[in-house]
Amino acid sequence: MGKEVNGVSRSRFEMFTNSDEAVINKKLPKELLLRIFSFLDVVTLCRCAQVSRSWNVLALDGSNWQRIDLFDFQRDIEGRVVENISKRCGGFLRKLSLRGCLGVGDSALRTFAQNCRNIELLSLNGCTKITDSTCNSLSKFCPKLKHLDLASCTSITNLSLKALSEGCPLLEQLNISWCDQVTKDGIQALVRSCPGLKCLFLKGCTQLEDEALKHIGAHCPELVTLNLQTCSQITDEGLITICRGCHRLQSLCVSGCANITDAILHALGQNCPRLRILEVARCSQLTDVGFTTLARNCHELEKMDLEECVQITDGTLIQLSIHCPRLQVLSLSHCELITDDGIRHLGSGPCAHDRLEVIELDNCPLITDASLEHLKSCHSLDRIELYDCQQITRAGIKRLRTHLPNIKVHAYFAPVTPPPSVGGSRQRFCRCCVLL
């Protein structure tokens, strides 16, 4: 091999001879052409590879294949494609997304792991053929792995987490949502060996109990994001341990965890001042008392999903309007005690003029056109949801649009309440809805 120039050997440049008459090949140094090619996507690189012999060399150079997303080709991707890519890219590859590639299995990913040992980000979301064998391969060959997405890989068990704990100590982000075979034993092994975990997505891991959360709270001081949606067995006890051990927490989702109470909101307020996102939909035991503590201590809140927190009243909105100036997205759907007065406080609060972008008020029966008047000064408001708000009128919406002409208003006008849609209360967009 000759002397390397920006990762390409001089012998490879010798392929560019005077017989290649393209002006661009004559005028630009090959190093610069390679640099230009590095900005192209997968499709464009493949097309360029067919232009000429010289461009084929440049387009297929491993340095151009450091980040690959095959989502657009997911139906056509088979194991051999992944194997070929891994051999082409080798140690250059840093990021690979195979999200939704149903044809990719353990064998192809073993070849991939053996060839691409510098991989840092790997998405296997929805690759339902893979099993614990894939995680064993990653553990054995990919010690630099930082981000791993295994969501909906339902064959994954505790054995995968134990393997990752042994071979991937740099892991920062792990998504095992809907891997419902995982229990506290797998979580314990993982967090004890991966202290740098920052993001953990456990949505739909229905076997997890408070004991698993205690391990996370004890071993993950760097945790920033935690998603426990529909982990229905968890209670205040486990979540309080999270709050006390993870002071850097910025995003928490416990929607569908019906056992939690105001004790969680108090613990968040006392321990997690950096909290920006809180999703507690369908947590019907939460009240104004808990949200008052939260609002008075967590001033960086930007997004809150309070859908079906049926006990909250205007008191919560008053506290948010006073103490949470950064609020951008607020869902109050099915909070049937909210009235125009609460919206009035929200519309006059510090977040209203420049921050508030989305407010969802579906099925809030006490809301009237007066609420729309209170929101007309919210210049950043991009979308408002008003399905089944029986006291909202077309005239009220029209007046709102005179102040906010670009706002998206989703509403339903019918003489009776529309039947509930399949899939639960959170599905808002039915065939009957009117985009005003």
Side-chain angles (χ1 to χ4, degrees):
M1 296 292 286
K3 182 180 179 182
E4 288 196 351
V5 181
N6 286 355
V8 180
S9 67
R10 195 173 295 278
S11 61
R12 299 180 73 175
F13 282 147
E14 291 173 358
M15 288 188 178
F16 300 94
T17 65
N18 292 333
S19 61
D20 197 331
E21 297 298 331
V23 175
I24 190 172
N25 294 334
K26 289 184 176 183
K27 296 293 185 181
L28 294 182
K30 302 308 177 286
E31 300 91 338
L32 182 55
L33 281 171
L34 184 62
R35 176 63 174 164
I36 293 171
F37 274 54
S38 71
F39 292 98
L40 303 181
D41 59 35
V42 173
V43 175
T44 310
L45 281 171
C46 290
R47 288 173 178 167
C48 288
Q50 301 175 57
V51 171
S52 67
R53 186 182 180 191
S54 56
W55 276 30
N56 181 275
V57 173
L58 290 175
L60 298 183
D61 189 86
S63 63
N64 291 326
W65 296 75
Q66 297 182 46
R67 297 171 296 278
I68 303 176
D69 188 342
L70 297 179
F71 179 71
D72 291 336
F73 313 97
Q74 55 177 308
R75 294 182 180 177
D76 301 319
I77 296 300
E78 298 177 354
R80 60 182 178 80
V81 176
V82 175
E83 293 177 5
N84 290 339
I85 286 175
S86 70
K87 293 171 183 176
R88 166 69 62 182
C89 301
F92 284 106
L93 190 62
R94 298 292 189 276
K95 301 178 181 179
L96 174 65
S97 176
L98 298 173
R99 181 167 56 105
C101 296
L102 302 180
V104 177
D106 293 328
S107 177
L109 286 166
R110 179 175 177 81
T111 301
F112 160 80
Q114 290 173 328
N115 287 303
C116 302
R117 304 191 181 205
N118 291 320
I119 191 74
E120 296 176 4
L121 184 152
L122 177 62
S123 175
L124 301 175
N125 190 318
C127 297
T128 52
K129 282 188 176 181
I130 71 168
T131 70
D132 293 328
S133 176
T134 285
C135 290
N136 285 328
S137 298
L138 295 174
S139 172
K140 186 175 181 179
F141 300 111
C142 303
K144 297 182 180 180
L145 192 62
K146 293 182 179 179
H147 293 192
L148 178 61
D149 188 348
L150 297 170
S152 299
C153 298
T154 52
S155 295
I156 294 298
T157 73
N158 290 335
L159 295 176
S160 284
L161 301 192
K162 291 176 181 177
L164 292 171
S165 71
E166 294 169 0
C168 304
L170 302 181
L171 205 60
E172 295 179 0
Q173 179 171 313
L174 178 65
N175 188 346
I176 51 171
S177 295
W178 310 114
C179 297
D180 56 5
Q181 297 187 60
V182 170
T183 71
K184 62 178 174 52
D185 294 334
I187 297 296
Q188 180 180 14
L190 178 77
V191 298
R192 283 187 171 180
S193 299
C194 302
L197 274 171
K198 296 180 180 179
C199 302
L200 198 50
F201 299 90
L202 305 173
K203 179 179 179 180
C205 294
T206 52
Q207 292 198 57
L208 295 185
E209 301 172 332
D210 289 333
E211 199 65 30
L213 304 194
K214 291 178 182 179
H215 293 307
I216 296 172
H219 297 285
C220 299
E222 304 295 320
L223 197 67
V224 173
T225 299
L226 179 62
N227 189 318
L228 296 165
Q229 183 174 333
T230 68
C231 295
S232 55
Q233 296 192 60
I234 66 174
T235 71
D236 293 343
E237 184 180 359
L239 282 170
I240 289 174
T241 305
I242 294 285
C243 296
R244 290 175 177 171
C246 307
H247 298 291
R248 299 186 180 186
L249 197 65
Q250 295 182 22
S251 177
L252 176 65
C253 176
V254 287
S255 293
C257 300
N259 294 321
I260 68 173
T261 72
D262 284 341
I264 297 309
L265 302 181
H266 292 305
L268 286 169
Q270 294 165 2
N271 296 282
C272 304
R274 302 182 186 181
L275 193 68
R276 296 188 301 108
I277 299 172
L278 178 64
E279 299 178 26
V280 288
R282 305 181 302 285
C283 297
S284 57
Q285 297 189 59
L286 303 181
T287 73
D288 292 337
V289 175
F291 284 111
T292 295
T293 300
L294 182 77
R296 290 179 176 178
N297 292 278
C298 297
H299 306 303
E300 297 184 19
L301 280 166
E302 297 176 0
K303 176 183 177 182
M304 297 185 71
D305 185 352
L306 311 184
E307 181 172 341
E308 293 187 42
C309 292
V310 294
Q311 295 195 54
I312 67 171
T313 71
D314 294 338
T316 288
L317 298 193
I318 292 171
Q319 295 300 321
L320 293 177
S321 68
I322 295 172
H323 300 292
C324 300
R326 300 186 180 185
L327 199 60
Q328 298 176 19
V329 179
L330 179 62
S331 177
L332 299 167
S333 297
H334 294 270
C335 296
E336 299 185 356
L337 302 179
I338 298 296
T339 74
D340 294 332
D341 190 54
I343 302 301
R344 177 175 65 82
H345 281 89
L346 191 67
S348 60
C351 70
H353 298 289
D354 301 316
R355 295 278 186 170
L356 193 62
E357 297 176 0
V358 175
I359 184 166
E360 298 178 353
L361 297 168
D362 300 341
N363 291 89
C364 292
L366 303 181
I367 295 297
T368 74
D369 287 348
S371 284
L372 304 187
E373 291 294 317
H374 299 321
L375 294 172
K376 66 185 182 183
S377 61
C378 300
H379 303 299
S380 296
L381 198 61
D382 177 68
R383 176 168 60 87
I384 184 169
E385 305 284 339
L386 297 166
Y387 287 110
D388 208 23
C389 293
Q390 298 291 323
Q391 300 193 65
I392 295 293
T393 68
R394 295 181 186 272
I397 293 173
K398 185 176 181 179
R399 287 193 295 271
L400 177 64
R401 280 184 167 270
T402 62
H403 297 277
L404 303 171
N406 297 319
I407 191 172
K408 301 178 185 69
V409 182
H410 297 154
Y412 182 95
F413 292 99
V416 295
T417 301
S421 58
V422 177
S425 60
R426 292 185 64 81
Q427 184 175 338
R428 300 185 180 89
F429 298 95
C430 66
R431 62 184 179 180
C432 308
C433 71
V434 179
L435 181 61
L436 299 172

